[in-house]
Amino acid sequence: MYVDHDRLLVTYDIACQYSKNLADRLRKNFEHIPRLNGLLERTTFAVPKMHVQGHKYDCQYRYSLNYIEGAGHLAGELIETAWAEANNIGPSTREMNPGHRH
């Protein structure tokens, strides 16, 4: 079955700043990809719920997942849930040189 997604939701801690010039940067650097323009028009940026509270009120309303249609109860923090476990290996890799870490 083929599913054509008509929208893309991107969450990032500083999406309010990152998204401002993203379209221009992508068009400039990837002008050989014609479908990119359509994708950018269908992309919505949001700040994850844990981070949005630290932003200005304007950002909280414009980039909060609570106000984006289709976001549902998404928290937008999934990638950071692994950090607690990953931080546990920090002390054991601190003394390694780049060859060991590779």
Side-chain angles (χ1 to χ4, degrees):
M1 179 169 77
Y2 177 75
V3 178
D4 185 19
H5 299 287
D6 60 343
R7 294 185 299 173
L8 176 66
L9 177 62
V10 176
T11 61
Y12 186 50
D13 299 351
I14 55 169
C16 54
Q17 297 298 315
Y18 187 73
S19 63
K20 284 182 180 179
N21 298 312
L22 180 64
D24 293 333
R25 289 193 307 265
L26 291 176
R27 285 187 188 108
K28 177 183 173 187
N29 295 309
F30 299 100
E31 58 189 24
H32 60 281
I33 304 176
R35 294 181 1 180
L36 188 61
N37 287 334
L39 177 65
L40 292 171
E41 292 170 3
R42 297 187 319 264
T43 302
T44 302
F45 291 91
V47 176
K49 290 186 178 181
M50 187 175 78
H51 290 89
V52 77
Q53 299 302 318
H55 287 245
K56 296 177 181 178
Y57 288 123
D58 184 48
C59 287
Q60 290 182 22
Y61 294 116
R62 291 175 55 211
Y63 294 95
S64 174
L65 288 162
N66 293 330
Y67 303 114
I68 295 177
E69 183 179 350
H73 292 286
L74 180 70
E77 301 283 354
L78 183 62
I79 193 70
E80 294 184 18
T81 57
W83 286 2
E85 293 297 322
N87 285 338
N88 290 333
I89 65 168
S92 65
T93 61
R94 186 176 300 136
E95 301 298 321
M96 294 180 179
N97 65 34
H100 289 95
R101 288 192 293 269
H102 181 73

mmCIF file of all heavy atoms in Angstrom, residues 39-85:
data_model
loop_
_atom_site.group_PDB
_atom_site.id
_atom_site.type_symbol
_atom_site.label_atom_id
_atom_site.label_comp_id
_atom_site.label_asym_id
_atom_site.label_seq_id
_atom_site.Cartn_x
_atom_site.Cartn_y
_atom_site.Cartn_z
ATOM 1 N N LEU A 39 7.880 20.053 -0.415
ATOM 2 C CA LEU A 39 8.049 19.504 0.928
ATOM 3 C C LEU A 39 8.124 20.612 1.967
ATOM 4 O O LEU A 39 7.504 20.527 3.024
ATOM 5 C CB LEU A 39 9.310 18.643 0.987
ATOM 6 C CG LEU A 39 9.650 18.050 2.346
ATOM 7 C CD1 LEU A 39 8.578 17.057 2.773
ATOM 8 C CD2 LEU A 39 11.008 17.394 2.309
ATOM 9 N N LEU A 40 8.862 21.662 1.675
ATOM 10 C CA LEU A 40 8.991 22.767 2.624
ATOM 11 C C LEU A 40 7.665 23.457 2.872
ATOM 12 O O LEU A 40 7.381 23.903 3.982
ATOM 13 C CB LEU A 40 10.028 23.770 2.125
ATOM 14 C CG LEU A 40 11.470 23.262 2.112
ATOM 15 C CD1 LEU A 40 12.366 24.241 1.401
ATOM 16 C CD2 LEU A 40 11.950 22.988 3.517
ATOM 17 N N GLU A 41 6.836 23.546 1.866
ATOM 18 C CA GLU A 41 5.519 24.178 2.027
ATOM 19 C C GLU A 41 4.607 23.354 2.927
ATOM 20 O O GLU A 41 3.709 23.891 3.563
ATOM 21 C CB GLU A 41 4.868 24.376 0.667
ATOM 22 C CG GLU A 41 5.582 25.411 -0.177
ATOM 23 C CD GLU A 41 5.087 25.440 -1.608
ATOM 24 O OE1 GLU A 41 4.141 24.678 -1.938
ATOM 25 O OE2 GLU A 41 5.643 26.206 -2.396
ATOM 26 N N ARG A 42 4.847 22.058 2.984
ATOM 27 C CA ARG A 42 4.008 21.167 3.792
ATOM 28 C C ARG A 42 4.622 20.870 5.158
ATOM 29 O O ARG A 42 4.120 20.038 5.897
ATOM 30 C CB ARG A 42 3.776 19.863 3.041
ATOM 31 C CG ARG A 42 3.025 20.023 1.752
ATOM 32 C CD ARG A 42 2.659 18.686 1.126
ATOM 33 N NE ARG A 42 3.695 17.669 1.179
ATOM 34 C CZ ARG A 42 4.550 17.399 0.199
ATOM 35 N NH1 ARG A 42 4.547 18.101 -0.900
ATOM 36 N NH2 ARG A 42 5.430 16.425 0.324
ATOM 37 N N THR A 43 5.719 21.531 5.499
ATOM 38 C CA THR A 43 6.418 21.274 6.753
ATOM 39 C C THR A 43 6.003 22.277 7.824
ATOM 40 O O THR A 43 5.959 23.475 7.579
ATOM 41 C CB THR A 43 7.943 21.354 6.549
ATOM 42 O OG1 THR A 43 8.322 20.403 5.544
ATOM 43 C CG2 THR A 43 8.682 21.049 7.836
ATOM 44 N N THR A 44 5.698 21.753 9.002
ATOM 45 C CA THR A 44 5.372 22.579 10.165
ATOM 46 C C THR A 44 6.456 22.350 11.212
ATOM 47 O O THR A 44 6.841 21.210 11.473
ATOM 48 C CB THR A 44 4.003 22.183 10.748
ATOM 49 O OG1 THR A 44 3.019 22.323 9.739
ATOM 50 C CG2 THR A 44 3.650 23.047 11.945
ATOM 51 N N PHE A 45 6.938 23.425 11.800
ATOM 52 C CA PHE A 45 7.968 23.325 12.830
ATOM 53 C C PHE A 45 7.353 23.565 14.204
ATOM 54 O O PHE A 45 6.455 24.385 14.346
ATOM 55 C CB PHE A 45 9.074 24.351 12.571
ATOM 56 C CG PHE A 45 9.888 24.034 11.360
ATOM 57 C CD1 PHE A 45 9.534 24.530 10.119
ATOM 58 C CD2 PHE A 45 11.002 23.219 11.456
ATOM 59 C CE1 PHE A 45 10.276 24.237 8.991
ATOM 60 C CE2 PHE A 45 11.759 22.914 10.340
ATOM 61 C CZ PHE A 45 11.388 23.425 9.105
ATOM 62 N N ALA A 46 7.879 22.836 15.188
ATOM 63 C CA ALA A 46 7.376 22.959 16.558
ATOM 64 C C ALA A 46 8.524 22.816 17.541
ATOM 65 O O ALA A 46 9.561 22.230 17.227
ATOM 66 C CB ALA A 46 6.327 21.887 16.839
ATOM 67 N N VAL A 47 8.329 23.360 18.724
ATOM 68 C CA VAL A 47 9.292 23.206 19.820
ATOM 69 C C VAL A 47 8.717 22.143 20.761
ATOM 70 O O VAL A 47 7.551 22.218 21.144
ATOM 71 C CB VAL A 47 9.501 24.544 20.569
ATOM 72 C CG1 VAL A 47 10.424 24.352 21.760
ATOM 73 C CG2 VAL A 47 10.062 25.598 19.622
ATOM 74 N N PRO A 48 9.504 21.123 21.126
ATOM 75 C CA PRO A 48 9.003 20.078 22.015
ATOM 76 C C PRO A 48 8.456 20.659 23.323
ATOM 77 O O PRO A 48 8.888 21.717 23.781
ATOM 78 C CB PRO A 48 10.234 19.211 22.267
ATOM 79 C CG PRO A 48 11.121 19.462 21.099
ATOM 80 C CD PRO A 48 10.885 20.884 20.724
ATOM 81 N N LYS A 49 7.531 19.945 23.909
ATOM 82 C CA LYS A 49 6.813 20.458 25.080
ATOM 83 C C LYS A 49 7.705 20.778 26.271
ATOM 84 O O LYS A 49 7.453 21.730 26.995
ATOM 85 C CB LYS A 49 5.723 19.469 25.493
ATOM 86 C CG LYS A 49 4.602 19.433 24.485
ATOM 87 C CD LYS A 49 3.461 18.576 24.948
ATOM 88 C CE LYS A 49 2.346 18.634 23.918
ATOM 89 N NZ LYS A 49 1.196 17.853 24.322
ATOM 90 N N MET A 50 8.758 20.014 26.473
ATOM 91 C CA MET A 50 9.631 20.276 27.612
ATOM 92 C C MET A 50 10.411 21.580 27.418
ATOM 93 O O MET A 50 10.737 22.254 28.376
ATOM 94 C CB MET A 50 10.609 19.115 27.800
ATOM 95 C CG MET A 50 11.444 19.224 29.055
ATOM 96 S SD MET A 50 12.469 17.786 29.326
ATOM 97 C CE MET A 50 13.808 18.081 28.185
ATOM 98 N N HIS A 51 10.687 21.945 26.180
ATOM 99 C CA HIS A 51 11.495 23.125 25.903
ATOM 100 C C HIS A 51 10.675 24.378 25.630
ATOM 101 O O HIS A 51 11.164 25.484 25.813
ATOM 102 C CB HIS A 51 12.405 22.863 24.700
ATOM 103 C CG HIS A 51 13.492 21.904 24.987
ATOM 104 N ND1 HIS A 51 13.345 20.549 24.815
ATOM 105 C CD2 HIS A 51 14.746 22.080 25.451
ATOM 106 C CE1 HIS A 51 14.452 19.943 25.156
ATOM 107 N NE2 HIS A 51 15.333 20.849 25.555
ATOM 108 N N VAL A 52 9.440 24.226 25.196
ATOM 109 C CA VAL A 52 8.657 25.393 24.780
ATOM 110 C C VAL A 52 8.370 26.333 25.949
ATOM 111 O O VAL A 52 8.230 27.539 25.750
ATOM 112 C CB VAL A 52 7.359 24.960 24.063
ATOM 113 C CG1 VAL A 52 6.304 24.478 25.046
ATOM 114 C CG2 VAL A 52 6.832 26.082 23.189
ATOM 115 N N GLN A 53 8.331 25.822 27.160
ATOM 116 C CA GLN A 53 8.032 26.669 28.318
ATOM 117 C C GLN A 53 9.142 27.681 28.601
ATOM 118 O O GLN A 53 8.913 28.691 29.244
ATOM 119 C CB GLN A 53 7.777 25.810 29.562
ATOM 120 C CG GLN A 53 6.601 24.877 29.417
ATOM 121 C CD GLN A 53 5.313 25.609 29.101
ATOM 122 O OE1 GLN A 53 5.026 26.651 29.667
ATOM 123 N NE2 GLN A 53 4.540 25.069 28.176
ATOM 124 N N GLY A 54 10.346 27.416 28.112
ATOM 125 C CA GLY A 54 11.448 28.337 28.306
ATOM 126 C C GLY A 54 11.546 29.410 27.235
ATOM 127 O O GLY A 54 12.424 30.257 27.283
ATOM 128 N N HIS A 55 10.642 29.378 26.284
ATOM 129 C CA HIS A 55 10.657 30.349 25.197
ATOM 130 C C HIS A 55 9.745 31.531 25.502
ATOM 131 O O HIS A 55 8.928 31.475 26.416
ATOM 132 C CB HIS A 55 10.187 29.682 23.896
ATOM 133 C CG HIS A 55 11.203 28.749 23.315
ATOM 134 N ND1 HIS A 55 11.812 28.968 22.119
ATOM 135 C CD2 HIS A 55 11.721 27.579 23.778
ATOM 136 C CE1 HIS A 55 12.657 27.988 21.859
ATOM 137 N NE2 HIS A 55 12.610 27.130 22.862
ATOM 138 N N LYS A 56 9.876 32.570 24.714
ATOM 139 C CA LYS A 56 9.005 33.736 24.858
ATOM 140 C C LYS A 56 7.562 33.316 24.592
ATOM 141 O O LYS A 56 7.300 32.329 23.911
ATOM 142 C CB LYS A 56 9.407 34.822 23.860
ATOM 143 C CG LYS A 56 10.790 35.366 24.099
ATOM 144 C CD LYS A 56 11.137 36.391 23.029
ATOM 145 C CE LYS A 56 12.537 36.920 23.258
ATOM 146 N NZ LYS A 56 12.933 37.878 22.218
ATOM 147 N N TYR A 57 6.631 34.101 25.109
ATOM 148 C CA TYR A 57 5.219 33.753 24.948
ATOM 149 C C TYR A 57 4.822 33.638 23.486
ATOM 150 O O TYR A 57 4.038 32.768 23.110
ATOM 151 C CB TYR A 57 4.316 34.767 25.646
ATOM 152 C CG TYR A 57 4.377 34.653 27.154
ATOM 153 C CD1 TYR A 57 4.734 35.741 27.925
ATOM 154 C CD2 TYR A 57 4.092 33.456 27.786
ATOM 155 C CE1 TYR A 57 4.804 35.648 29.306
ATOM 156 C CE2 TYR A 57 4.159 33.336 29.169
ATOM 157 C CZ TYR A 57 4.510 34.435 29.915
ATOM 158 O OH TYR A 57 4.583 34.329 31.270
ATOM 159 N N ASP A 58 5.371 34.487 22.635
ATOM 160 C CA ASP A 58 5.051 34.422 21.220
ATOM 161 C C ASP A 58 5.444 33.061 20.640
ATOM 162 O O ASP A 58 4.693 32.452 19.877
ATOM 163 C CB ASP A 58 5.755 35.554 20.464
ATOM 164 C CG ASP A 58 5.375 35.591 19.008
ATOM 165 O OD1 ASP A 58 4.158 35.537 18.716
ATOM 166 O OD2 ASP A 58 6.277 35.677 18.154
ATOM 167 N N CYS A 59 6.622 32.573 21.010
ATOM 168 C CA CYS A 59 7.071 31.252 20.552
ATOM 169 C C CYS A 59 6.188 30.146 21.126
ATOM 170 O O CYS A 59 5.887 29.173 20.439
ATOM 171 C CB CYS A 59 8.514 30.998 20.963
ATOM 172 S SG CYS A 59 9.720 31.937 20.045
ATOM 173 N N GLN A 60 5.794 30.304 22.371
ATOM 174 C CA GLN A 60 4.979 29.268 23.011
ATOM 175 C C GLN A 60 3.674 29.063 22.263
ATOM 176 O O GLN A 60 3.214 27.930 22.114
ATOM 177 C CB GLN A 60 4.705 29.634 24.459
ATOM 178 C CG GLN A 60 5.930 29.545 25.334
ATOM 179 C CD GLN A 60 5.641 29.863 26.780
ATOM 180 O OE1 GLN A 60 4.505 29.760 27.236
ATOM 181 N NE2 GLN A 60 6.661 30.281 27.510
ATOM 182 N N TYR A 61 3.080 30.117 21.784
ATOM 183 C CA TYR A 61 1.818 29.989 21.059
ATOM 184 C C TYR A 61 2.024 29.566 19.614
ATOM 185 O O TYR A 61 1.257 28.781 19.074
ATOM 186 C CB TYR A 61 1.028 31.295 21.118
ATOM 187 C CG TYR A 61 0.564 31.623 22.501
ATOM 188 C CD1 TYR A 61 1.021 32.749 23.157
ATOM 189 C CD2 TYR A 61 -0.319 30.796 23.179
ATOM 190 C CE1 TYR A 61 0.603 33.041 24.443
ATOM 191 C CE2 TYR A 61 -0.732 31.066 24.457
ATOM 192 C CZ TYR A 61 -0.268 32.198 25.089
ATOM 193 O OH TYR A 61 -0.668 32.477 26.357
ATOM 194 N N ARG A 62 3.051 30.078 18.978
ATOM 195 C CA ARG A 62 3.262 29.781 17.561
ATOM 196 C C ARG A 62 3.874 28.408 17.317
ATOM 197 O O ARG A 62 3.629 27.790 16.284
ATOM 198 C CB ARG A 62 4.157 30.849 16.938
ATOM 199 C CG ARG A 62 3.454 32.189 16.848
ATOM 200 C CD ARG A 62 4.338 33.306 16.337
ATOM 201 N NE ARG A 62 4.934 32.968 15.054
ATOM 202 C CZ ARG A 62 6.124 33.419 14.674
ATOM 203 N NH1 ARG A 62 6.834 34.191 15.461
ATOM 204 N NH2 ARG A 62 6.600 33.101 13.492
ATOM 205 N N TYR A 63 4.677 27.911 18.265
ATOM 206 C CA TYR A 63 5.406 26.662 18.039
ATOM 207 C C TYR A 63 5.047 25.547 19.011
ATOM 208 O O TYR A 63 5.693 24.508 19.005
ATOM 209 C CB TYR A 63 6.917 26.928 18.093
ATOM 210 C CG TYR A 63 7.385 27.794 16.960
ATOM 211 C CD1 TYR A 63 7.507 29.177 17.111
ATOM 212 C CD2 TYR A 63 7.686 27.252 15.721
ATOM 213 C CE1 TYR A 63 7.923 29.980 16.066
ATOM 214 C CE2 TYR A 63 8.106 28.040 14.667
ATOM 215 C CZ TYR A 63 8.216 29.402 14.850
ATOM 216 O OH TYR A 63 8.631 30.189 13.809
ATOM 217 N N SER A 64 4.051 25.739 19.847
ATOM 218 C CA SER A 64 3.657 24.706 20.797
ATOM 219 C C SER A 64 2.898 23.588 20.093
ATOM 220 O O SER A 64 2.014 23.834 19.270
ATOM 221 C CB SER A 64 2.763 25.301 21.887
ATOM 222 O OG SER A 64 2.275 24.268 22.710
ATOM 223 N N LEU A 65 3.227 22.358 20.430
ATOM 224 C CA LEU A 65 2.523 21.206 19.861
ATOM 225 C C LEU A 65 1.062 21.188 20.274
ATOM 226 O O LEU A 65 0.239 20.557 19.618
ATOM 227 C CB LEU A 65 3.214 19.915 20.306
ATOM 228 C CG LEU A 65 4.566 19.670 19.651
ATOM 229 C CD1 LEU A 65 5.358 18.649 20.437
ATOM 230 C CD2 LEU A 65 4.389 19.231 18.227
ATOM 231 N N ASN A 66 0.732 21.885 21.361
ATOM 232 C CA ASN A 66 -0.657 21.919 21.821
ATOM 233 C C ASN A 66 -1.574 22.622 20.829
ATOM 234 O O ASN A 66 -2.779 22.399 20.836
ATOM 235 C CB ASN A 66 -0.748 22.644 23.163
ATOM 236 C CG ASN A 66 -0.070 21.876 24.260
ATOM 237 O OD1 ASN A 66 -0.013 20.656 24.234
ATOM 238 N ND2 ASN A 66 0.483 22.583 25.222
ATOM 239 N N TYR A 67 -1.019 23.494 20.005
ATOM 240 C CA TYR A 67 -1.840 24.295 19.097
ATOM 241 C C TYR A 67 -1.659 23.925 17.635
ATOM 242 O O TYR A 67 -2.168 24.618 16.759
ATOM 243 C CB TYR A 67 -1.519 25.785 19.288
ATOM 244 C CG TYR A 67 -1.717 26.240 20.704
ATOM 245 C CD1 TYR A 67 -0.646 26.657 21.467
ATOM 246 C CD2 TYR A 67 -2.977 26.241 21.280
ATOM 247 C CE1 TYR A 67 -0.823 27.068 22.772
ATOM 248 C CE2 TYR A 67 -3.157 26.641 22.588
ATOM 249 C CZ TYR A 67 -2.080 27.058 23.323
ATOM 250 O OH TYR A 67 -2.262 27.465 24.619
ATOM 251 N N ILE A 68 -0.948 22.856 17.343
ATOM 252 C CA ILE A 68 -0.715 22.456 15.960
ATOM 253 C C ILE A 68 -1.683 21.340 15.599
ATOM 254 O O ILE A 68 -1.697 20.282 16.237
ATOM 255 C CB ILE A 68 0.741 22.016 15.756
ATOM 256 C CG1 ILE A 68 1.666 23.211 15.974
ATOM 257 C CG2 ILE A 68 0.938 21.414 14.380
ATOM 258 C CD1 ILE A 68 3.132 22.891 15.881
ATOM 259 N N GLU A 69 -2.458 21.592 14.582
ATOM 260 C CA GLU A 69 -3.450 20.616 14.150
ATOM 261 C C GLU A 69 -2.754 19.325 13.705
ATOM 262 O O GLU A 69 -1.793 19.349 12.947
ATOM 263 C CB GLU A 69 -4.258 21.175 12.984
ATOM 264 C CG GLU A 69 -5.352 20.252 12.516
ATOM 265 C CD GLU A 69 -6.161 20.834 11.382
ATOM 266 O OE1 GLU A 69 -6.002 22.026 11.087
ATOM 267 O OE2 GLU A 69 -6.956 20.078 10.800
ATOM 268 N N GLY A 70 -3.215 18.215 14.227
ATOM 269 C CA GLY A 70 -2.672 16.916 13.874
ATOM 270 C C GLY A 70 -1.557 16.430 14.775
ATOM 271 O O GLY A 70 -1.137 15.288 14.677
ATOM 272 N N ALA A 71 -1.046 17.280 15.661
ATOM 273 C CA ALA A 71 0.048 16.859 16.540
ATOM 274 C C ALA A 71 -0.449 15.964 17.663
ATOM 275 O O ALA A 71 0.317 15.176 18.216
ATOM 276 C CB ALA A 71 0.764 18.072 17.128
ATOM 277 N N GLY A 72 -1.720 16.065 17.997
ATOM 278 C CA GLY A 72 -2.278 15.234 19.052
ATOM 279 C C GLY A 72 -1.587 15.468 20.379
ATOM 280 O O GLY A 72 -1.318 16.595 20.761
ATOM 281 N N HIS A 73 -1.240 14.386 21.062
ATOM 282 C CA HIS A 73 -0.588 14.490 22.372
ATOM 283 C C HIS A 73 0.909 14.230 22.277
ATOM 284 O O HIS A 73 1.534 13.788 23.232
ATOM 285 C CB HIS A 73 -1.219 13.498 23.348
ATOM 286 C CG HIS A 73 -2.626 13.842 23.692
ATOM 287 N ND1 HIS A 73 -2.954 14.883 24.522
ATOM 288 C CD2 HIS A 73 -3.803 13.299 23.295
ATOM 289 C CE1 HIS A 73 -4.262 14.967 24.637
ATOM 290 N NE2 HIS A 73 -4.797 14.015 23.888
ATOM 291 N N LEU A 74 1.472 14.494 21.134
ATOM 292 C CA LEU A 74 2.898 14.296 20.918
ATOM 293 C C LEU A 74 3.713 15.206 21.835
ATOM 294 O O LEU A 74 3.404 16.383 21.986
ATOM 295 C CB LEU A 74 3.235 14.616 19.446
ATOM 296 C CG LEU A 74 4.686 14.472 19.027
ATOM 297 C CD1 LEU A 74 5.059 12.995 19.001
ATOM 298 C CD2 LEU A 74 4.899 15.080 17.656
ATOM 299 N N ALA A 75 4.748 14.658 22.452
ATOM 300 C CA ALA A 75 5.614 15.460 23.314
ATOM 301 C C ALA A 75 6.789 16.030 22.543
ATOM 302 O O ALA A 75 7.314 17.070 22.883
ATOM 303 C CB ALA A 75 6.121 14.630 24.483
ATOM 304 N N GLY A 76 7.225 15.330 21.493
ATOM 305 C CA GLY A 76 8.326 15.798 20.680
ATOM 306 C C GLY A 76 9.696 15.621 21.303
ATOM 307 O O GLY A 76 10.667 16.206 20.845
ATOM 308 N N GLU A 77 9.802 14.816 22.338
ATOM 309 C CA GLU A 77 11.060 14.651 23.069
ATOM 310 C C GLU A 77 11.615 13.231 22.969
ATOM 311 O O GLU A 77 12.485 12.857 23.739
ATOM 312 C CB GLU A 77 10.843 14.977 24.556
ATOM 313 C CG GLU A 77 10.337 16.354 24.833
ATOM 314 C CD GLU A 77 11.405 17.422 24.735
ATOM 315 O OE1 GLU A 77 12.594 17.086 24.550
ATOM 316 O OE2 GLU A 77 11.056 18.602 24.836
ATOM 317 N N LEU A 78 11.145 12.432 22.049
ATOM 318 C CA LEU A 78 11.508 11.018 22.010
ATOM 319 C C LEU A 78 13.013 10.790 21.952
ATOM 320 O O LEU A 78 13.547 9.939 22.646
ATOM 321 C CB LEU A 78 10.841 10.322 20.822
ATOM 322 C CG LEU A 78 11.090 8.829 20.715
ATOM 323 C CD1 LEU A 78 10.523 8.121 21.942
ATOM 324 C CD2 LEU A 78 10.473 8.278 19.464
ATOM 325 N N ILE A 79 13.722 11.560 21.156
ATOM 326 C CA ILE A 79 15.158 11.328 20.998
ATOM 327 C C ILE A 79 15.909 11.546 22.309
ATOM 328 O O ILE A 79 16.937 10.920 22.550
ATOM 329 C CB ILE A 79 15.719 12.215 19.867
ATOM 330 C CG1 ILE A 79 17.126 11.766 19.466
ATOM 331 C CG2 ILE A 79 15.739 13.683 20.275
ATOM 332 C CD1 ILE A 79 17.163 10.465 18.762
ATOM 333 N N GLU A 80 15.396 12.397 23.172
ATOM 334 C CA GLU A 80 16.104 12.691 24.413
ATOM 335 C C GLU A 80 15.849 11.666 25.516
ATOM 336 O O GLU A 80 16.523 11.694 26.537
ATOM 337 C CB GLU A 80 15.729 14.091 24.896
ATOM 338 C CG GLU A 80 16.228 15.152 23.948
ATOM 339 C CD GLU A 80 15.951 16.557 24.439
ATOM 340 O OE1 GLU A 80 15.685 16.731 25.634
ATOM 341 O OE2 GLU A 80 16.012 17.467 23.612
ATOM 342 N N THR A 81 14.918 10.754 25.314
ATOM 343 C CA THR A 81 14.643 9.761 26.353
ATOM 344 C C THR A 81 15.808 8.799 26.536
ATOM 345 O O THR A 81 15.956 8.198 27.593
ATOM 346 C CB THR A 81 13.362 8.962 26.039
ATOM 347 O OG1 THR A 81 13.508 8.332 24.754
ATOM 348 C CG2 THR A 81 12.146 9.864 26.036
ATOM 349 N N ALA A 82 16.649 8.640 25.540
ATOM 350 C CA ALA A 82 17.798 7.726 25.643
ATOM 351 C C ALA A 82 19.000 8.387 26.314
ATOM 352 O O ALA A 82 19.962 7.698 26.663
ATOM 353 C CB ALA A 82 18.183 7.235 24.252
ATOM 354 N N TRP A 83 18.969 9.683 26.519
ATOM 355 C CA TRP A 83 20.133 10.371 27.072
ATOM 356 C C TRP A 83 20.472 9.911 28.482
ATOM 357 O O TRP A 83 21.645 9.820 28.830
ATOM 358 C CB TRP A 83 19.915 11.872 27.072
ATOM 359 C CG TRP A 83 20.014 12.499 25.733
ATOM 360 C CD1 TRP A 83 20.228 11.870 24.542
ATOM 361 C CD2 TRP A 83 19.906 13.875 25.433
ATOM 362 N NE1 TRP A 83 20.249 12.773 23.522
ATOM 363 C CE2 TRP A 83 20.048 14.023 24.042
ATOM 364 C CE3 TRP A 83 19.680 15.003 26.192
ATOM 365 C CZ2 TRP A 83 19.982 15.243 23.405
ATOM 366 C CZ3 TRP A 83 19.616 16.225 25.548
ATOM 367 C CH2 TRP A 83 19.780 16.341 24.179
ATOM 368 N N ALA A 84 19.501 9.625 29.291
ATOM 369 C CA ALA A 84 19.778 9.202 30.671
ATOM 370 C C ALA A 84 20.636 7.950 30.678
ATOM 371 O O ALA A 84 21.608 7.849 31.434
ATOM 372 C CB ALA A 84 18.472 8.975 31.420
ATOM 373 N N GLU A 85 20.314 7.001 29.836
ATOM 374 C CA GLU A 85 21.104 5.774 29.754
ATOM 375 C C GLU A 85 22.445 6.031 29.090
ATOM 376 O O GLU A 85 23.466 5.504 29.516
ATOM 377 C CB GLU A 85 20.336 4.698 28.987
ATOM 378 C CG GLU A 85 19.101 4.197 29.694
ATOM 379 C CD GLU A 85 19.433 3.517 31.008
ATOM 380 O OE1 GLU A 85 20.463 2.808 31.087
ATOM 381 O OE2 GLU A 85 18.679 3.696 31.972
#
